[in-house]
Structure formats: structure tokens, C-alpha cells
Amino acid sequence: MELLLLLLGLGRAGGLRAGERSSSALEELATEQEAEESHRQDSVSLLTFILLLTLTILTIWLFKHRRVRFLHETGLAMIYGLIVGVILRYGTPSTSGHDKPFSCSQENKLFTTLLINVSGKFFEYTLKGEISPGKIHNVEQNDMLRKVTFDPEVFFNILLPPIIFHAGYSLKKRHFFRNLGSILAYAFLGTAVSCFIIGNLMYGVVKLMKLVGQLSDKFYYTDCLLFGAIISATDPVTVLAIFNELHADVDLYALLFGESVLNDAVAIVLSSSIVAYQPTGENTHAFDAAAFFKSVGVFLGIFSGSFMMGAVTGVVTALVTKFTKLHCFPLLETALFFLMSWSTFLLAEACGFTGVVAVLFCGITQAHYTYNNLSVESRSRTKQLFEVLHFLAENFIFSYMGLALFTFQKHIFSPVFIIGAFIAIFLGRAAHIYPLSFLLNLGRRHKISWNFQHMMMFAGLRGAMAFALAIRDTATYSHQMMFSTTLLIVFFTVWVVGGGTTPMLSWLNIRVGVDPDQDPPPSNDSFQVLQGDGPDSERRNRTKQESAWLFRLWYSFDHNYLKPILTHSGPPLTTTLPSWCGLIARCLTSPQVYDNQEQLREEDSDFILNDGDLAVTYGDTTITANGSSGSHTVTTSLDGRRTKSSSEEALERDLGTGDHEVTSRGTRLVFPLEDNA
Amino acid sequence: MELLLLLLGLGRAGGLRAGERSSSALEELATEQEAEESHRQDSVSLLTFILLLTLTILTIWLFKHRRVRFLHETGLAMIYGLIVGVILRYGTPSTSGHDKPFSCSQENKLFTTLLINVSGKFFEYTLKGEISPGKIHNVEQNDMLRKVTFDPEVFFNILLPPIIFHAGYSLKKRHFFRNLGSILAYAFLGTAVSCFIIGNLMYGVVKLMKLVGQLSDKFYYTDCLLFGAIISATDPVTVLAIFNELHADVDLYALLFGESVLNDAVAIVLSSSIVAYQPTGENTHAFDAAAFFKSVGVFLGIFSGSFMMGAVTGVVTALVTKFTKLHCFPLLETALFFLMSWSTFLLAEACGFTGVVAVLFCGITQAHYTYNNLSVESRSRTKQLFEVLHFLAENFIFSYMGLALFTFQKHIFSPVFIIGAFIAIFLGRAAHIYPLSFLLNLGRRHKISWNFQHMMMFAGLRGAMAFALAIRDTATYSHQMMFSTTLLIVFFTVWVVGGGTTPMLSWLNIRVGVDPDQDPPPSNDSFQVLQGDGPDSERRNRTKQESAWLFRLWYSFDHNYLKPILTHSGPPLTTTLPSWCGLIARCLTSPQVYDNQEQLREEDSDFILNDGDLAVTYGDTTITANGSSGSHTVTTSLDGRRTKSSSEEALERDLGTGDHEVTSRGTRLVFPLEDNA
């Protein structure tokens, strides 16, 4: 709690000062000075973190400048965190006298507010939490270490939301939707499988430890399952950064990114459900069918509730930005966008759902609908705003992780457990990637090749989410052991696995962009090369069949109804809705739709697919490049496509069938049509 | 403290939950549920604020859309705040049982951490502050009202810094520097005079109240002076917004904006010094020369210290951005900029100075130096980032003010005091604007006309800073009365005075832009029109003499040494430093300086003077407008000016003498030179 205030440079000196001026005794001056001293220390600790981040940024720059790829910024942040942790641990004096706790026995009731009468004056105290009897001496420990220890809720309520929102907001829409089925399978089934397998393996390890006598306290089956849920959230930030930089295969990128974004959500909800698993009666740690189904119910309830919250605020924002002319005032628009996205989080928390999950779906909805209604300035503003927040929050978490290895006071490192955990996460990932890929390949036309499967297996890094879930509850022996192990797994995967991404890419023959300094390569081709090149019509067929009926149903619903209602694009509602809805359809359809729907849809796809992606230009236009890339000129003439505008046609285009003609000719260039007079 | 956590949607449920899982009793489940309930309530209260802001944004949009100018967004935010305050006050149940405080007598020592033993388990409590005995019953009051009451330090540590930083970062450099002398005089002397006069008048009022018997508690002379300091911070945000929109006179704008920015800093430091005034001995409220000089020393110390901190971190940021190629990675650059600016605040707080003041000077330094080194993308990113933060924070404060009128629990409205205060602030402002203007006009060539003086008198609105200073300490009777009065003064000035700006502008014959939709008018001319048009050489003379010798000294130092060291612009150091510094000079001068110094300097001035301002184009070039404003074409030929590059010459140009030739010809248009092949 201390550091939470500190995170904002917030002293508690003020309240005290206010309280004390009511009379002017000398003893109070001393308290005031103490409070000021505490505020000063808070500032110093926070300053430490900021300098750490500054240092990280400067070193990252050096690395990027020199094209060093084996260490990502997050890995670097952890290293600096480690160094500062060592200094704090061994370099600062280890006791502080003035905070000696005062013990006061009282009967059974617990209060959240205490009033203490000290020689006639009343002081208000607030409850900070319970301290288990064995750790009372910890309270008296090193002041500085205590100052740099955050309340775990900081991660869930301050640092994760911008990270997760940004992930949702920057989901590359087209490739995400093209692989939606597989992504959902990996994220839901995969995470559940991984959680279950890791949980069971770890239970075996725990049993073994008990036999060997290495376990000094209780470790239940539910704890093992919780560990499985915690550690199943992948965060291949390092791998994705390298993919981005090298312009590696887009579909593989979409699979990995989509999986990691969604399985964060699944892991949070899964761990909440496991915590909620509370068998009735005395035998509290055996299997109980009722409690199990209650947990499943909790999972479904929280997940769908959070999803709804996110979608609803996204839709409300889309409607507001569509039907007001707020886009004339980008500042107001950006502020509204920010506030609405934040309110998702609060709304979900207020309703008892999970804010972070709601924020993720809000981000996806905002990108899919609201983004189209924003002014050009607001688009870049919102993108950049969340990019900066995401960057800061992510590096903060990773440097805190480095720090926590030395400053966290209750580490329990058990070699057997750690080795077991490493094997378990390896097996857990293998047990969902390969079987699921096999099953998915039965249905997919774009098969997920063996090399891709190996790469996905390899890219099972753990990161911010696993850490945040693990640090959330470190009260018991088992949780402390789980936290220490998670920390080591994150270190290992980010440094070793992350550092090996580039060699792994070349070893697995996964095609990367020819030269990162050039325009991104026509990435779809690289996928086609792996799959073997067929004639055009065959390709189109493939793409059509690849998308399952459920997805096609959703797509046509989205294209015909949701997009026209929520944005300025899509076909006019007057054509898609039955005729008796004529009046409503006319009210909801924005006038822009009739004349420039094509143009707007194009702008839309342009952002979401910002790097290494294809975009379609409609109509018979000659597009000329200007500016720095003036040497590349592409001439397109996709005749006869302008008139057709059914959802089938749009789906084809959106899924990238129609644009092979453009991309196969050379460098891809996209410009808004109005440039051509 | 509660609401501070709440501001971040931050529950304290986590800590509790962690503490409780250590054993599984039913009584703890109840506590956990209570904690979750509290977290939920926090989310709801914060959600209230966010919805309030959203509503404000939508209404502002409507107002802007309809060109309604009598009510500014801040005024609107206050109205909505008021409405919600009324609802909370009279619409929610007024008691809550479960937070009953528990009293526990103890001897003389005060602790910041308490450990309470409740039936064998230990709970940690932290000190929140003293409660004066008369207000103990308040603690038991309406839960919701307590939830929406912020710790006053939130304003100083979270909401004010972005507002103040943004003010510093967006100071319109040229007009600010052209009027620097006057601005400093108004801000320092003016605020001191105003504080002193208001303080003394209020002391008279208090004496009167004592005679009439309207005063029920102590009210010292220092309290009156503190009130003077609190209420001397002007915040003409409404007036400035209208000035901006109508493109009113730039010099008047610079005077008002500069004064309001700097006098915020002066008022903070002044109030700290008055609080620090602590006469020795028993007679604690009489005049004490030693204590007085100590206060003056505190003032000077805090002010110069905070100034130094801000300047130093600004300079460090400038050096870092100059000597690294960070501008290739705008995200890193923006993150660094943000972190460095934040670290100013923490550094100042850690050293015992005032963070908000340091942040102001940091903002000015960043705009003056660092801004020139940033990449184009980072310039807009940083500008937009702080613009959004400033917007949100400002409207938050104003809506909180509205709320506080009804939810604050210790209001003391005394009609005599309030009327006295209104008269005092009127007289206080008159007593510094008119005499100071008279004195300044003795030295100025651009006289500050009577109409300008009346407008400045009129524009003495009070706002966020006065509120934040007043709410910081509301422990005593006198401070509560001061707070309530400040609140009313802010309401009155923002609504009534702010609403009357447009009529006042036309009544005082202050020239505004012909049509806000057109290009900004050549604003310097409008000033010249008022002053009478002289021949060119005379104008140049005027500007030269207008700037005092001290300022010229600073300017040439800045131009010859600081700019070349800290940015890529200015003359090469090799020409300005003595020859024995040759090596250092060569190291510090960036290679760009030699070939394109002129160009860069121009880009520099382009931002800071973003609206309604003039920019100079150097050399004999023909500039052609492109894009939307293609119809305006300006041809300039400022012959023979290219070769001269002394600091005198640059000063002239920067102060706007050289550019009359351009501006007097028509619409001003500025483009980077590289556009012209």
C-alpha cells in the first residue's frame, strides 16, 4: 500500500500536517518531520524506479541502434532491476527504529478504521492487511526494502490495464479474424489443457517432495492447479518484437499474438475460478462435484460478464463517436475515448467481473468499430497514448520483477519444485500445441506446418501476466514457492528462449522479410510459398473454406448490421435490413455511407494491418507513390469489382483473396483515394 | 486516502484477501466480502467521476459546436459536479454501520504502523492522520460522501503536475520572452502585493467579525496572510480559451498567461513560507522579525531550489536527446521525456522543494531546449500526451470543486467574511495591476494601454490552484472558512467573470481576429494598430529598447552558449566560445549546426508560436503554399539578411522586428525550407 502511494509520488505527509496544525505543540513538529521524511523516502524510491526505466530506455536505444537482437528491452529491464535489487538488499542498512509496531489485544471483531487516543488527541488508522504471526518480525525489517515492495493490486489495477488494452487495440484485425478459430482453440482449450496437465504434474512433484521430506508445509491439489493456471498465461513479447522487426510470417504472428492476448484473459478467469473452488464440509481439499461445477459456472460467468462489459462500453463509445461531431475536436474525442475505456475497467470491477478481461474486449471492440469513427488526429493520438502507457507499464513490471528477486522477503526456492515446474511447462505446452494443431489442421486449409508448430512450442514465454497472478497472493507457503518459481521461469524464458528467437527462426526455415529497411514484403506470398503455389481460383476457394461457417455467419452479421450501425462504413442499413425497419435503418445509417463507404472501409483496414500487411484498393484507379518512396509505382486495375458489394465479396476482400493481383506485382503501396484528385 | 486509491480504481481487497487465505475460517469470508464490497464501492465512486467527465465532454462538444462562449468547459464541469454533489448529499442514505471506529487509549508516543492482535491474528494498520476531537462523529457519517472525498495531496501530487507542466511546455516562447519583464513583475511583485493587501483587508474583516460576534473560533493574522496567498493565484483559463478562440491580441494573451502560470508558482511557495512563519516564544501570533526573515529565506530557498531542479532535469533531458540518436525511436524518446519530466517532480519533493514549481520550470526548459532535439513524431506525441493529461486533470479538479460544495463536511459560510473577501480580491488586484502597469509603462515602449489594464484587472479569475491550496489544510476553523470562501470565489469568477469575457472584450475595444475560421490574423499588426503605426526603423528601435539590458544579457548568453550546447540550433560554439575552448566547443557542437542552423531554428520557433503568431523565414526564397491553403501565396525577399548571424540580429528576428515585411503583405504562411527543393 505504501508503494502504491509512492507510485504516484504521493505522500501521506499532507493529512498529517493538516491534522497537526490544530494546536501547536513541539512533539507534533517531530511527527510532522517524520511524515515529511517518509514522503521524501517515497519520492526517492519512486525516483529509483524512474531512473531504472530511464537507464533501460537509453540501453534499449543503444541495442536497437546496433541491431542487437538477443536481448529484448524487457529482458534488459529485468537485468537492471536485478542489479538495483542486489544493491538494495545488501547495500542498505537493514534496520529502522522508528516504526516499531505497537501491539494491542482486542476481542473478536475486526475493524477497517481505528481511532487511537494518544494523550487526548485522536489519530485515525486504516487496516492494511493481516500479517501471519510468523512474519511479525518482517515488519521491523529494512525500511527501504519495504518501500520498494508494491501492493500486488497495483499490477492488476494500474499496470496491467493499459498493457492489455493496448494489446486488444492493436490486434491486427484481418489476420486475427482469418485465424480466429485456431486462436480461440489455442487460447481456450490450450490454456485449459496446459493448466490441467501442469497442475497434475506438479501435484506429482509435490507428492514426491513430501516423500523425500522437502516440503515443510501444506501444498494442496488446488494450489497445484492454481499454479497451472498462473503459469499458462504466455507472453511472447520478446518473440513478437523480433517477428515485427524481421517481418516474419504474418499468420504465425497472428496465431502467437492472438493466443497470448486471449490466454491472458483465460488464465485470469481460470485462476479466479480455482480460488473460488471451495468444497463444502470438513474435507476441504478432496474433489467435490458441486464445487467443481460451481467453479465452472464462475469461470463462464466471469468470462462472459467481462466480455459483455467490454463489448458494451466499446459499442457505446462507437455510437457516441458516430452520432456526435466530436471528431471536429480531437482533444475531446481522445479524452472521451480514454475515459470510456477506463470506465470499462471500473464498471467490470464494480459488477464483480474482471476489469482486465473487460478492458481487453473493450480494446478489440474499440479497434473494430470506434476507431473508424475517430478523426485522423484522434486515431494517432489514441494509438500513441496507449502505446506510451503500455511501454512504460510493461517495462516497469519487468524491472520490478528483477527487483523482486532480491527484495521480496518471503522467497522459497525448492530445487525439486523448480525443476519439476520447468519440465511441466514444457510438457504442458507440448501437450496442447501439437494435438490441437493436428486437430485444427483437419479443418484448416492453410495447414499449420510442423515448423510453425515448433515455433509456437518454442514461443511459450511467460511474462507480466504470470508474474502478476503469482504475486497477487503470496500469503501461504505454497504460494510463496509458486511465486519464486514463476519468477525464475519468467527470467529463463525471457532471457534464454527470447534470446534464441532469431537462431530458431532461421533454423526452422520460417521466412522473414528480405531486408527490414525496405518496404515490408508481400507477406501473404511467403505463406503461400510454404504451402505451395496454386492458381488463383484455387487460392480463393481455400480461403473461403478455411473460414468456418460460424465465423462466416458472424462476419456477415457484423458486416451487414453491426458495422453500418456503429460506424460510417459498410453497406447502408436500408439495403440490408428488412423493409419494415425502413425508418430505423434510415436513422442509423450515416449519410457518408451512401457516397464513400468504400473509401472509409479502406482507411479502416489500413490501420489495423499496419505492418507487413496487404490492403486492397477498390476501383480502377492508377495509384502513384509520392514522397520518399517515389521510385515504386504500382498500377492496379481490378475491373468490375466496384459494383459488387455483397458481404461475401467483402469477406473475400477482407480475408485477402482479392489482393493477390496487387501484391504479386511488387511492392505494396496504399493511399487514400482522394490523393488522386 | 481512500479516494486516492479509488482514483486508480484500486481496491484494498487484495491485501486483505492475501492475508486471510492463510487459514480457512468462516468469519474471514465475511471480512473478505466486506473488503470486496469496499473495492466495489470505490469503483462505483470513481465511475461516477468518469461519467461526470464524459457528460462534461459531450456537453462541451455541443457548446463548441454551437459556438456558445458564455460557459467554459470548466464552468460546465463545476455545474455537473454540483448536481452530483446535491444527489449524493441528499439522495443517499446517511449512515453506515460497519465502519464504527474503535477507540484505544495509549500513552504519549505516536506510531505510524500499528499491529492489532485480534483473537490471535495480527492485522497491520497505518496512520491516516489526526482527527480533532470535535469531528470524531464525522468519521461515522455517510459512507458515500466519505468515498468521494479525496485526500488533498491528490491534487498536489497527481492532478496539478500535468496541468502545470503543460502550462510551462506550451508557453508561447517569443511573446513570453518579449514581455518577460512585465510578466515577472506582475507575477512576483503583483502576487506579493495582492497577498499582502488581501491579508490585511481580511484581518480587518476578521476584527470586525470579532466585534460583531460572528467569529466562533481563533483567526490569526497569519491565517489572513495565508488566505491572501491562496487567493492570489489567478487562473484565467476561461478568458484564455476565449482569447485563443477569437484570436485576441497576442501580447495581452502572453501577459495574462505568463502571469497566471508564474503566479501559481509564487502562490504555492508564498503559502509554504507563511506556514513556515513560526515565531519563537510564547507570543506566537505577533510579529517576529527573525521568523519573518526566516520565512523570506524559506521563500527564496524553495523557489530557487525548485527552479534549479526543474532547469537541471530539463537540461539533462536536452543533453540526452541531443547526444543520442534516440529520435530514431519516437516511442523511446517520448517515454524518456515523460519519465525525466516526472522525475523532476520526485527529485524536488525528495529534496524538500516544491514539485509543482519544479515541474513548471522543467516544462519551460523542455519547451525551450529539448523540444528542438525531438523527432517530429515525438514533438506531437509529447504535446498531445500532456494536452490530454492536462485536459482530464483540469476538468476533474473543476468537477470535484462542484462536488465539494455539497459533499465537503466542514463548510463554514460566513456572509461577512465572504463579502469582505470579494471586496479584498477586487482591491488587491486593482492595487497591483494599475500601479505596476504605470511603473512598467515608464520603461516599456509598447505601453500597456488602459484597455489592456482593465482587461487584466477583469481577468483575475481564480481556479484550480487556489482550490488546491485551500483544500490542502482544512483542519481548523479559520481554514475551513477560507476554503468555503475560496470555493465561492472560484464559482463566481469562473461563471460570471468568465462568462462576461466576450462582452468585455468588445466593450474594451480589444481587437480580435476577423474570422476565427480563417488563418490567424497577423497579430503583431493588431498590436501596432493600437499603438499607432510608425516607420520601420522606429519599430525596430522600440523593440530593442523594450527589452531590458538584463534580458538582452540573458538572451545573448542563451543564444550563443546554451542553445548551441543543448540543441542542434544556434551559432556553432566554435565561433562563440573563446579559442582556448576549441576542443570542448567542437565536441559540444552538433554537426548539423554548421549546415542547417537557420532551418532548425525556424522549426523551433514554429511550434512554440503555434497560433496567431509570426514566424520568420530566412534568406531569399520564394515560398509557395500547398495543400488546402493553396490560394494564399506569399513571396518574400529579405535580402542581405542571410550573412549576418550575430545574437543581436537573432534577437531582433526572434522579437519580431524583422518579420513585419512578411506579415504586412498578407496572410502569414510558414514552411520548412526543404519543401522548396
Side-chain angles (χ1 to χ4, degrees), chain B residues 379-610:
Chain B
R379 290 183 191 188
S380 75
R381 264 178 195 245
T382 52
K383 224 177 92 184
Q384 291 175 353
L385 178 69
F386 285 107
E387 202 182 345
V388 171
L389 291 180
H390 155 258
F391 177 84
L392 291 175
E394 192 173 76
N395 284 291
F396 195 95
I397 291 190
F398 276 90
S399 64
Y400 186 76
M401 272 191 237
L403 204 76
L405 191 62
F406 284 96
T407 58
F408 185 72
Q409 316 241 354
K410 311 168 213 162
H411 274 303
I412 297 173
F413 292 105
S414 154
V416 180
F417 192 83
I418 291 164
I419 294 167
F422 270 95
I423 297 169
I425 60 164
F426 183 82
L427 293 178
R429 188 147 182 93
H432 90 256
I433 290 291
Y434 295 114
L436 268 182
S437 302
F438 175 77
L439 289 175
L440 286 170
N441 274 342
L442 294 181
R444 277 176 78 104
R445 284 283 164 143
H446 278 280
K447 304 280 185 228
I448 299 166
S449 70
W450 276 106
N451 284 344
F452 277 28
Q453 293 178 31
H454 295 322
M455 194 66 215
M456 290 189 72
M457 175 71 208
F458 178 80
L461 281 72
R462 308 309 200 257
M465 184 56 78
F467 171 78
L469 284 171
I471 205 177
R472 195 170 203 180
D473 182 353
T474 52
T476 62
Y477 174 82
S478 56
H479 285 99
Q480 286 158 15
M481 191 184 279
M482 277 152 55
F483 173 69
S484 306
T485 310
T486 305
L487 215 52
L488 291 182
I489 290 173
V490 174
F491 285 148
F492 178 83
T493 53
V494 169
W495 285 334
V496 178
V497 179
T501 307
T502 325
M504 200 66 177
L505 270 177
S506 62
W507 191 62
L508 288 174
N509 272 324
I510 290 169
R511 222 185 107 150
V512 293
V514 200
D515 180 359
D517 287 341
Q518 270 188 0
D519 276 82
S523 42
N524 226 44
D525 281 355
S526 65
F527 193 76
Q528 294 294 332
V529 167
L530 283 167
Q531 304 293 325
D533 245 334
D536 234 54
S537 60
E538 199 193 312
R539 275 190 218 157
R540 203 164 299 174
N541 248 351
R542 268 188 204 173
T543 317
K544 267 193 190 174
Q545 290 175 13
E546 179 200 358
S547 38
W549 63 272
L550 186 70
F551 171 57
R552 293 181 80 79
L553 203 70
W554 154 251
Y555 187 90
S556 74
F557 178 70
D558 179 47
H559 181 78
N560 288 333
Y561 305 108
L562 292 183
K563 279 245 169 165
I565 291 173
L566 299 175
T567 72
H568 297 298
S569 62
L573 278 172
T574 37
T575 62
T576 56
L577 279 179
S579 55
W580 54 267
C581 304
L583 189 67
I584 304 166
R586 241 169 290 132
C587 289
L588 288 174
T589 307
S590 63
Q592 282 109 305
V593 165
Y594 296 103
D595 31 275
N596 57 359
Q597 38 164 314
E598 296 291 283
Q599 197 175 311
L600 275 154
R601 190 188 306 129
E602 189 189 344
E603 277 175 28
D604 157 21
S605 57
D606 201 21
F607 155 66
I608 311 291
L609 317 164
N610 45 7

Side-chain angles (χ1 to χ4, degrees), chain A residues 39 99 111 124-125 128 475, chain B residues 18 111-112 124-125 128 349:
Chain A
H39 175 60
D99 261 9
F111 299 99
E124 191 177 356
Y125 283 80
K128 212 177 145 183
Chain B
F111 298 100
T112 55
E124 190 176 356
Y125 283 79
K128 211 177 146 183
E349 291 285 321

Side-chain angles (χ1 to χ4, degrees), chain A residues 128-155:
Chain A
K128 212 177 145 183
E130 189 191 331
I131 298 169
S132 60
K135 270 128 215 148
I136 287 177
H137 63 276
N138 274 354
V139 180
E140 298 175 68
Q141 266 205 351
N142 191 329
D143 221 27
M144 192 67 188
L145 287 192
R146 216 152 49 82
K147 287 244 179 251
V148 293
T149 305
F150 280 72
D151 186 301
E153 294 300 305
V154 169
F155 297 101

Side-chain angles (χ1 to χ4, degrees), chain B residues 27 51 152 167 213 267 294 472 637:
Chain B
E27 70 191 43
L51 292 182
K294 197 190 131 214
R472 195 170 203 180
S637 50

Side-chain angles (χ1 to χ4, degrees), chain A residues 8 18 39-40 61 99 102 111-112 114-115 122 124-126 128-131 325 349-350 381 384 475, chain B residues 8 18 39-40 61 99 102 111-112 114-115 122 124-126 128-131 325 349-350 381 384 475:
Chain A
L8 303 146
H39 175 60
R40 204 165 294 175
W61 161 71
D99 261 9
F102 140 71
F111 299 99
T112 55
L114 287 190
L115 286 188
F122 287 88
E124 191 177 356
Y125 283 80
T126 46
K128 212 177 145 183
E130 189 191 331
I131 298 169
K325 278 190 186 123
E349 291 285 322
R381 263 179 197 246
Q384 291 175 353
Chain B
L8 302 145
H39 175 60
R40 203 165 295 177
W61 161 70
D99 260 9
F102 141 69
F111 298 100
T112 55
L114 287 189
L115 286 189
F122 287 89
E124 190 176 356
Y125 283 79
T126 47
K128 211 177 146 183
E130 189 192 331
I131 299 169
K325 277 189 186 125
E349 291 285 321
R381 264 178 195 245
Q384 291 175 353

Side-chain angles (χ1 to χ4, degrees), chain A residues 449-460:
Chain A
S449 69
W450 277 105
N451 285 343
F452 278 26
Q453 293 178 30
H454 296 323
M455 194 66 216
M456 290 190 72
M457 176 70 209
F458 178 80

